[in-house]
Amino acid sequence: MVATDPTTGGGMFTATNAENRRVVPEDVRGRPTMKVVYVVLESQYQSSMTAAVKRINAGSDNMAVECVGYLLEELRSDDAFEQFKKDVEDANIFIGSLIFVQELAEKVVEVVKPRRNDLDAVLIFPSMPEVMRLNKVGSFTMKNLGQSKSVISDFMKKKKQDDGSSFEEGMLKLLRTLPKVLKFLPSDKAADARTFMMSFQYWLGGSPENLESLLVMIGQDYAAPIKEAMIGKDKVVAVDPVLLPDKAIWHPVAPDVVFESNSKYFDWYNNEFCPDAGIDPKTAPTIGLVLQKSHINTKDDTHYVSLISELESRGARVVSIYSGGLDFSGPVEEYFYDETGNAIVDTVINLTGFALVGGPASQDHKKAAQVLKKLNRPYMCAVPLVFQSFEEWQASELGLHPIQVALQVSLPEIDGAIEPIIFAGREGATGRSVPLADRVNLLADRSMKWANLRTKPTAEKKIAITIFSFPPDKGNVGTAAYLDVFNSIKAVLGQLKSEGYDIGDAPDSKEEIMEAVLNDPEARISSPELNVAYRMSTDEYYDLTPYATDLEENWGPAPGNLNSDGQNLVIYGKKFGNVFIGVQPSFGYEGDPMRLLFAKSASPHHGFAAYYTYLEKIFQADAVLHFGTHGSLEFMPGKQVGMSGTCYPDRLIGSLPSAYLYAANNPSEATIAKRRSYSATVSYLTPPAENAGLYKGLKELKELISSYQGLRENEARGPAIVNSIVSTAWTVNLDKDIDDLPALETYDAKNDSAERRDDIVGKVYSQIMQIESRLLPCGLHTVGVPPTAEEAVATLVNIAQLDRPEDDIESLPRVIAASVGRDINEIYRGNNIGVLEDVDLAAKIVDASRAAVKALVDESTDSSGRVKEVKSLFDEAGSFFGGIMGQKKPYIQAIIDSGFPNVDEARLVNLVGYIEFCLKQIIANNELGGIMELLNGEFLMPAPGGDPIRNPDVLPTGRNMHALDPSSIPTQAAVDVSDGVVRKLLEKLADDNGGAYPESIAFTLWGTDNIKTYGESLAQVLALVGVRPVSDSLGRVNKVELIPLEKLGRPRIDVVVSCSGVFRDLFINQMNLMDRGIKLAAEADEPIEQNFIRKHALEQAEELGVSLREAAARVFSNSAGSYSANVGLAIENGGWEDESQLQEQFLTRKGFAFNADKPGMMEQQAELFKSALKTVDVTFQNLDSSEISITDVSHYYDSDPTKVVAGLRDDKKKPMSLMADTTTANAQVRTLSETVRLDARTKLLNPKFYEGMLSTGYEGVREIQKRLRNTMGWSATAGEVDNFVFEDANSVFIDDEEMQKRLLDTNPNAFRDMVTTFLEANGRGYWDTSDENIERLQELYAEVEDRIEGV
């Protein structure tokens, strides 16, 4: 069997070799020799260490040194780890620094701890606590670090409390106050502690001279062979460490090494350096650089010198600062301002790649963001390659190493950093940093462009607003999730004008702006073309687009037939003064079945490239504003993170600063835009979610139920009402949702018992309440318009229904339920199975919650129905006098009036304070302000993205959205919730299957869902397999352990995990976690009837002729740089022949396996993917947010493998399809067909939804058509759409002539798509309807075509 350690294998991207760092004395000359082994995170110490050892071997009479060094990441490789063990076995001294990766820290401890007593000294500089505890210098140890009292640990704790500093900062401060501390120690201990602290100073000094002093001092005092040989000889007197100041300004050609004040620096720089360099200090932009001191100490600074030279050659001034520790906020505050307190920099680039405060260890993002906002300049965080050589990065499809992505991309983003551009690599042999010339040039260009936004006169600035058209069609121009695009553009144009931008003769109405871009918003013209802003000849195109010939492999020579008139490439859009509103071309392969099948996505087409060439080189935009979620730029082929010059997002965006309006509820794709297209994001609010309500027969049913409750004891009237309820339930197709709904023809309630009648009514009522209370985002959002008071109530009711134990907040429904002696979870359980009393009580609690929140908001609502200022109900004098007079607070009175007189006011205090805070956040809209801050070259405050109901910190919008620290998930709370969902899922499946558990479940994981829920669905996968995530001493989750079968109490369930391309980009470390957990289960020596993973992996290993470990691959996604199965694209654009094509696309595009043993790549493993899928009994997805449901977007069915599995299974049986719905506190598991019906009833067929959409005009028709098309998508991939859904939709939108006319007049192109969808659903066998309906649709199609063509 293969080795069971899941972390071993070919080093993660890292193919460098410790032998390059091995130094053996050429001639010992009879001197005693000590062997030193060191492990470091980064390689800049390599050259200094090598030089120091060579100097000792050449010049010392007392000792010789053998030395070997390892980069931390190399220890993943089996061979390197074995060699490391051997080296430590006969070492005298071990040195470690910055060991902050948990699983590698464990490997270091595993090897060094057993040898610690035999080693002469162990020196560990800032690292994880368990590694720090290995320290040993004579009697000085840190073995109680973090566990018990000691002078040093007390000092460290006090420092942390005083100023929030990290461990390393504490150690630096300890160095400065060393004499005071040493007074308290016994003299021998003081000497050893002094040696340790001196060693740390030498290490921080980093130069060959400092490291030579370190080795000589430790050698003669502690290394046994040398110590003995030194008896009676004079020791070398330790020279003081040659140290640079802790913080200063550095310049490579300055006469002084560093400057400790910026007045001295600028005195030299402006008066001596700039004149010689041809820089005008008065007009030059100033770029601030943040550097890592260790690179200056070790003189490993070529990459810094290179960027400084490039910036200065472009006419910029540069001020480069460093810090001795990992908190760079001090030097920023000290050196980036002049004496009068004005900022002197125009752009800041952090070249360390680390968070501004705390580096890789522990961060203070809040402090960092405050420091950066005060400075208020664009803040870029560029990344030096640490764990890969330049060649390894260049060859890797994934790009930047996952550990580096977590430490040096994700964490700086939480500070508000933008543009993670790789600017330096390292040389394999020497470990020295080398600048990457084209990346350094790009970084210099882009930082200058951001500076230009601050300094250029507003009236001269050119802004390109880019809108999207998806799927490409005239009826779809201006697509963006939940955004009223043209109304929002009108708002942005108004704001630009008010701030002095030249918007020419831009119209000030939505319709006229649409008219200008579309030519005619009614599209009553013979040509489907939009307004042409520019025709680019092919000569001009090839001349201005350096990579144009690379596109010919996929698209042939320009101009091609996309965005072209046959001769020229065509740019669509309209110019108003210095503002251009342009339409981004689409991918180009939407309707081409062959291209959709390619496992890897094609390059952009010539028209797409021409569009961005036009923006940068011809229109000469100063910035581009991408308008809404989302376009195609960030999803073009290239590396996942850490773009190279051949990656298409990098080539397309060039040097253009990009601001990107992104929906606040979609942080995952926003993060892709930030990392791959270098965009600073501005979040916008999604429309508030309201209850779906009831209509037609559903409304009638609720009224009948209400009548029944009043007359249920009446033996004459009661049964008659039940008969009407049963009849109406059949009419509205609730028989599909209620298994035992009585048969219409034979049932008579008067022959039934009262209990049975209650049971029937309770089940119908439960269904009705599910539909009525379903959350529904209403209408579309306009940028800069905060919600009305009524809309705020809808959001706050949803916020109030969740328990928040971490904030000591009970949910409103829980407190109301407790007032009648009930537990809310019990009521939910009764409600879900249709217990009439519980359904009724749950409905009353919902009404009482809404009334209470409305009363709270009413206190702050003005006469226009908006909330301008939030009045607190706690600090008003009126509430004091009201209390004296015996008056109840309005929200308490509302609950009492709703029938709950005993509600406990004290239990609601925390919740009410929280709701008031949330109301302030909801109305504090900064969307237009946020856009302008970026366009004016300022720092935009960071904010998390996600679901504002689960995490109100997402509000206010208008901030630079980030995801989360990927190593923080799944959280313990997410694990607890997911355990509950898995329990419900397995109970439901066992009940439906005679008590037997499913053997295998196909799972889909999404990036945004896991950000919003902090990893709930990820935790579900681990729970099914029977492994638990384990967090390290810094709270990061990067380990898993098996739960013993006896504790699990059920078999381990096999899983086949299909990760979205976005999940793969954001959470590659979590894919590693899952793969290791699944392989751990596969290799566990357990009976196969209790371990289905092992059972299937053994069968597959035999079938495919591979090892058990290889056969246990279960974590799949797209190839790096590709996204989606293209099933959604095919269905949206009609580019598919039959279902087999869709299934083939899914298998080809999603069949790339992640392997923790060689995690630098996604390997195509289609046969393994098919082999795993054919054992699947159940397909499963999660719905976690009311804003995005299964017919709102194509993503859900794009990744649904239901029919794929049916085709692969030996028995051809379709697996059961389930959805977990955690959109409310009452989490439920439903079948896919139940979920589709619920979605159709609450959206597509619901007047509240479609009238809300139609009120926004042109965009609204498109939104309705999108829901219809996505519903058909579920027919294609899962066959789970009932016939009545299409039939009822046809009645609503086609049979009703008035509705037909409204749709046709508002957006004829989108209406034509709707007619096409109905015809296609019928033609493909998904909708069985009358010939009369089909004839009407065919006639209508011809009529709409004529209308569009202007006949």
Side-chain angles (χ1 to χ4, degrees), residues 493-649:
L493 287 172
Q495 187 69 31
L496 287 167
K497 186 176 183 179
S498 73
E499 296 202 16
Y501 284 78
D502 173 6
I503 66 163
D505 57 356
D508 61 358
S509 83
K510 167 183 173 172
E511 289 70 25
E512 289 173 286
I513 296 168
M514 279 169 63
E515 167 90 30
V517 176
L518 295 180
N519 257 359
D520 177 1
E522 305 301 332
R524 293 194 195 95
I525 49 167
S526 56
S527 159
E529 281 224 334
L530 307 169
N531 190 62
V532 175
Y534 189 78
R535 294 184 193 274
M536 188 185 296
S537 72
T538 49
D539 286 351
E540 185 176 30
Y541 167 66
Y542 279 110
D543 189 37
L544 296 177
T545 314
Y547 54 90
T549 49
D550 293 355
L551 311 186
E552 292 179 0
E553 181 189 347
N554 283 126
W555 301 100
N561 57 5
L562 295 161
N563 291 68
S564 128
D565 61 10
Q567 258 76 50
N568 307 291
L569 288 149
V570 177
I571 311 301
Y572 294 121
K574 181 75 178 166
K575 244 197 300 189
F576 301 108
N578 282 337
V579 177
F580 171 64
I581 301 173
V583 183
Q584 185 192 71
S586 66
F587 283 112
Y589 49 73
E590 297 85 1
D592 180 340
M594 281 312 297
R595 287 184 195 278
L596 290 169
L597 264 171
F598 292 163
K600 298 186 179 183
S601 300
S603 69
H605 57 82
H606 295 294
F608 201 101
Y611 178 79
Y612 280 94
T613 295
Y614 170 78
L615 296 188
E616 186 173 11
K617 310 269 177 70
I618 296 168
F619 176 65
Q620 296 184 325
D622 292 297
V624 58
L625 171 59
H626 288 98
F627 216 87
T629 307
H630 58 73
S632 311
L633 168 68
E634 62 269 36
F635 296 102
M636 286 295 172
K639 297 184 188 301
Q640 235 171 255
V641 186
M643 302 289 103
S644 73
T646 57
C647 296
Y648 284 107

Side-chain angles (χ1 to χ4, degrees), residues 713-729:
E713 306 297 333
N714 183 320
E715 277 305 319
R717 301 280 303 282
I721 295 170
V722 174
N723 286 342
S724 297
I725 288 171
V726 171
S727 165
T728 312

